[in-house]
Amino acid sequence: MADSYLCCLCADVLRDPVTIPCGDVFCRECIKAYWDQMDHGAVYSCPQCRATFTPRPVLRRTVPSVSSRELQSPLTELRPFPDLNRESLCDFCTGRRNRAVKSCLVCLAYYCETHIKPHYESATFKRHKLVDETGNLDRKICPQHEKSLELFCRSDQMCICVLCTVREHRGHNSVSAEEERANKQKLLVVTQSEVQHIIQDRMKELQELRHNVEVLKDNANRAQTASDKIFSEMLQSVERWHAEICQLIQANLQAAMVQAESYVERLEQEILELKRRDAELRQMLDTEDNIHFLQNFPELYVAPEPMLPKVTINQEFSFSEVTKTATDIKLHLDNICKKEMGSVSKKVSDIPVYVLIPRPGGYHKVPPPPPPPSDLHEPKIRVDFLRYAVRLTFDPNTAYKELVLSDGNRRVVRKRSVQFYPEHPERFDRFCQVLCAEPLSGSRYYWEADWRGEFSVGVVYKSIPRKGKNSHCLLGYNDRSWSLLCSDSGYSAWHGRVDQDLPGATRAARIGVFLDYPAGSVSFYAASENMELVHRFQARFSEPLYAGFGVGDSVTLCPLQRTVQTYH
């Protein structure tokens, strides 16, 4: 759906849309709530283009035009990173503001073609860093120190400023953004190569499938011609059997064509999606904005996986049985027809036209189930657990109002001020908790999290209570969740409001969680190469589970490289 139909405050489809004087459109309740927070001052600003107004503008209702095609088709055009296509306006124009063409990472401002000239001509700006205008300039500023983000902390996998290395990231492995971008760009090039290889494979499969469909048509036509010739020689008494043969052929051909059209459409859709991904990668590789590159790298680094199995024509499928039976009908006439028609119908109908060949992996973030647990060994060391690594992301619709998500919804920080979040039935409204978006069931999964401050981690059913002050909304304080509470003083395990102290366990800044859904267990580990078990719950899971977290200061979902699984 086009950006013009989304509210930039709630990131959702516009509800009761209103226009403000600069021309930007928002949900009525969103912009009212945003300006209510500014009522202590006399100047009001647009949260999108930063235009200022005095006094508070009157909200005018508007109706954006949305075509039915845009509402129905999620693949209307290849537009990677919509934010890159959103125009920003020059900060130094008066009156009508021109479109910005560059942004300065030192001035932290946008410039049009006219106002950027001093940066090229004056020695004063010689050391300033100019990049192509990509929007989101505020994301290039450290929220704590209001300095330009110029470094990358490899320990925490995030962009930082120079002052961050003095306190928050003191002693961490930090490098320049340029150096980290150079390293990660090599990985992204490999991902793009994989995407392009997949596109080539899918194009070849599409060509083969279309060819096989034509072969199928030719076979059907030959069978139809042979049947017509045989039945034209038969007596009038068998004409009714002729009609049944024709109907059988056409019915199977039609069914095959319907399947083929569905497979072709889905394969074309997959190719379009892969081309979209390739365009995203190409645009990201070409951008000069290192910070934007690094912030979007985790989402693009993982190579896409297939959406549907490979489709090929079943070699056993043939209309030859129809022709053979038609000949028998000609020889044996009515009595043989009654006997053989039932036989041929079953032979043709029961043999599938297409054979579905499973591909390794899948497009879903949650990997497909491995072999049954009876065939699997219990993981012992970290490399064994990484065979089941899954990439999780925090669900913004569940986040408590004091939590701020970042790094592609892979990091959450608790702020002591209320954030602007729209009302949602799945949001925790009293406790500082957040769930992940991916359902987990029917398989084994492993993930790790770094934490600061008191922290709880576990798995929950989607039906866990979310509203009210009662402690039944807390992780582990009900029969719909299993959690480990971590603090500087130690660990305790919680389920059904029953706690169990865990003395003697090594305190770790990184906790690993291993969910063996078929075996009915969830285990918590002090994550290291040897993986020290902290606690294990045994249960009979009856519905999909979701990773859940209680946040003290911050929680970061660690990037894990999944190893290849082999079974004997």
Side-chain angles (χ1 to χ4, degrees):
M1 184 176 292
D3 285 345
S4 56
Y5 312 134
L6 300 178
C7 172
C8 74
L9 290 173
C10 66
D12 204 348
V13 179
L14 289 166
R15 293 168 294 183
D16 191 11
V18 293
T19 305
I20 61 177
C22 64
D24 289 324
V25 183
F26 305 91
C27 302
R28 180 182 294 274
E29 292 302 319
C30 292
I31 191 63
K32 284 179 62 178
Y34 180 79
W35 280 345
D36 286 346
Q37 300 176 11
M38 307 171 65
D39 271 344
H40 58 278
V43 179
Y44 298 86
S45 65
C46 171
Q48 185 155 320
C49 69
R50 297 184 293 180
T52 57
F53 317 104
T54 304
R56 179 168 176 163
V58 177
L59 301 178
R60 303 183 183 279
R61 190 170 185 207
T62 185
V63 181
S65 58
V66 184
S67 68
S68 60
R69 180 178 179 85
E70 289 175 314
L71 288 172
Q72 295 172 0
S73 175
L75 299 172
T76 54
E77 57 179 332
L78 296 175
R79 287 187 59 198
F81 298 102
D83 286 344
L84 294 181
N85 299 318
R86 183 178 299 158
E87 291 187 352
S88 297
L89 302 179
C90 177
D91 290 322
F92 296 90
C93 289
T94 57
R96 181 179 178 83
R97 300 168 67 191
N98 295 322
R99 184 177 68 86
V101 296
K102 293 285 185 179
S103 55
C104 177
L105 299 184
V106 177
C107 301
L108 297 177
Y110 297 107
Y111 293 91
C112 65
E113 291 183 353
T114 300
H115 291 105
I116 194 60
K117 290 180 179 179
H119 274 74
Y120 295 124
E121 299 169 353
S122 174
T124 305
F125 302 104
K126 184 177 180 180
R127 297 183 180 274
H128 285 209
K129 176 67 173 178
L130 295 176
V131 295
D132 290 338
E133 194 285 306
T134 58
N136 297 314
L137 190 57
D138 55 333
R139 294 185 63 190
K140 303 175 182 63
I141 306 172
C142 176
Q144 293 180 313
H145 305 115
E146 296 185 353
K147 297 291 184 181
S148 176
L149 298 174
E150 300 174 347
L151 304 175
F152 186 82
C153 177
R154 289 177 172 172
S155 303
D156 292 335
Q157 289 294 301
M158 63 183 297
C159 298
I160 61 175
C161 71
V162 175
L163 295 181
C164 290
T165 62
V166 178
R167 183 176 179 182
E168 292 85 353
H169 298 265
R170 183 177 183 180
H172 289 193
N173 182 10
S174 301
V175 296
S176 68
E178 289 82 1
E179 179 180 347
E180 185 65 16
R181 186 254 173 81
N183 291 334
K184 282 187 164 55
Q185 178 160 339
K186 296 176 183 178
L187 300 177
L188 205 61
V189 168
V190 175
T191 301
Q192 184 185 30
S193 177
E194 293 178 6
V195 170
Q196 293 172 345
H197 180 70
I198 294 173
I199 292 175
Q200 293 174 359
D201 287 346
R202 297 303 180 272
M203 292 293 290
K204 183 178 179 180
E205 290 176 17
L206 180 60
Q207 184 178 2
E208 291 176 354
L209 181 58
R210 285 174 170 166
H211 171 72
N212 290 335
V213 168
E214 294 302 320
V215 172
L216 189 65
K217 289 181 180 179
D218 292 340
N219 290 338
N221 290 334
R222 283 194 294 268
Q224 183 72 63
T225 302
S227 298
D228 289 342
K229 181 178 179 181
I230 293 170
F231 279 102
S232 66
E233 298 171 357
M234 295 176 66
L235 299 175
Q236 188 175 1
S237 60
V238 298
E239 283 296 326
R240 62 182 180 275
W241 305 114
H242 181 199
E244 288 194 26
I245 287 289
C246 294
Q247 183 179 2
L248 176 63
I249 294 172
Q250 291 301 319
N252 280 274
L253 175 62
Q254 183 64 33
M257 295 305 299
V258 170
Q259 281 186 281
E261 291 171 359
S262 174
Y263 291 137
V264 168
E265 180 180 355
R266 292 168 65 189
L267 202 53
E268 289 175 337
Q269 183 179 9
E270 182 178 8
I271 291 171
L272 182 60
E273 184 64 31
L274 289 167
K275 288 182 178 179
R276 181 203 300 274
R277 183 66 178 273
D278 183 53
E280 290 177 348
L281 292 169
R282 189 182 308 111
Q283 187 164 0
M284 183 54 57
L285 290 169
D286 291 341
T287 183
E288 298 177 6
D289 190 336
N290 296 325
I291 301 305
H292 176 78
F293 176 94
L294 294 173
Q295 290 174 338
N296 289 280
F297 171 82
E299 298 180 7
L300 294 178
Y301 171 54
V302 179
E305 299 174 353
M307 292 172 54
L308 69 158
K310 182 178 180 180
V311 180
T312 184
I313 298 295
N314 186 354
Q315 300 300 320
E316 297 180 12
F317 185 86
S318 173
F319 289 96
S320 61
E321 288 291 335
V322 178
T323 305
K324 177 180 178 298
T325 302
T327 304
D328 291 339
I329 291 175
K330 177 183 177 183
L331 297 174
H332 300 288
L333 298 177
D334 243 13
N335 290 335
I336 299 300
C337 291
K338 292 179 182 179
K339 178 181 178 181
E340 296 295 334
M341 278 300 297
S343 174
V344 68
S345 177
K346 181 173 179 60
K347 288 179 181 178
V348 175
S349 300
D350 286 356
I351 299 177
V353 181
Y354 299 99
V355 178
L356 305 183
I357 303 174
R359 303 183 194 272
Y363 261 124
H364 307 289
K365 292 181 180 178
V366 179
S374 59
D375 296 337
L376 301 178
H377 300 291
E378 183 73 17
K380 299 296 183 184
I381 59 177
R382 189 166 180 267
V383 68
D384 295 334
F385 287 91
L386 292 180
R387 293 163 56 188
Y388 308 99
V390 59
R391 188 178 189 278
L392 301 178
T393 55
F394 295 118
D395 183 356
N397 291 330
T398 67
Y400 179 62
K401 58 188 177 182
E402 292 182 1
L403 297 179
V404 177
L405 305 185
S406 60
D407 292 349
N409 292 342
R410 300 268 297 166
R411 175 175 170 82
V412 59
V413 177
R414 184 175 185 180
K415 301 291 185 181
R416 300 305 173 181
S417 57
V418 175
Q419 306 301 307
F420 183 85
Y421 283 128
E423 291 294 328
H424 198 282
E426 295 184 1
R427 190 176 309 284
F428 291 99
D429 66 350
R430 298 294 179 181
F431 295 99
C432 198
Q433 299 181 154
V434 62
L435 303 184
C436 287
E438 295 77 12
L440 309 172
S441 66
S443 183
R444 286 177 159 189
Y445 308 95
Y446 178 72
W447 62 95
E448 293 177 355
D450 289 336
W451 59 282
R452 294 182 182 179
E454 191 173 85
F455 152 83
S456 62
V457 57
V459 293
V460 307
Y461 290 146
K462 191 172 185 177
S463 55
I464 185 175
R466 317 289 179 104
K467 309 298 182 183
K469 298 181 179 179
N470 195 305
S471 60
H472 68 281
C473 297
L474 283 167
L475 270 64
Y477 279 65
N478 49 68
D479 59 358
R480 305 173 201 176
S481 59
W482 298 259
S483 75
L484 179 73
L485 179 63
C486 310
S487 66
D488 292 337
S489 59
Y491 301 103
S492 60
W494 286 85
H495 174 63
R497 297 182 64 88
V498 177
D499 71 309
Q500 177 182 350
D501 287 331
L502 305 172
T506 303
R507 184 189 180 280
R510 177 174 294 192
I511 296 295
V513 184
F514 179 60
L515 171 63
D516 191 341
Y517 193 99
S521 69
V522 57
S523 307
F524 303 91
Y525 292 86
S528 65
E529 293 303 317
N530 296 324
M531 302 298 292
E532 178 184 341
L533 177 65
V534 178
H535 185 72
R536 174 178 293 141
F537 288 104
Q538 289 293 149
R540 186 183 295 274
F541 301 129
S542 58
E543 56 184 274
L545 294 166
Y546 294 79
F549 300 87
V551 184
D553 291 336
S554 68
V555 177
T556 303
L557 294 170
C558 305
L560 302 177
Q561 182 65 44
R562 185 177 183 183
T563 61
V564 177
Q565 301 186 38
T566 57
Y567 303 102
H568 304 283

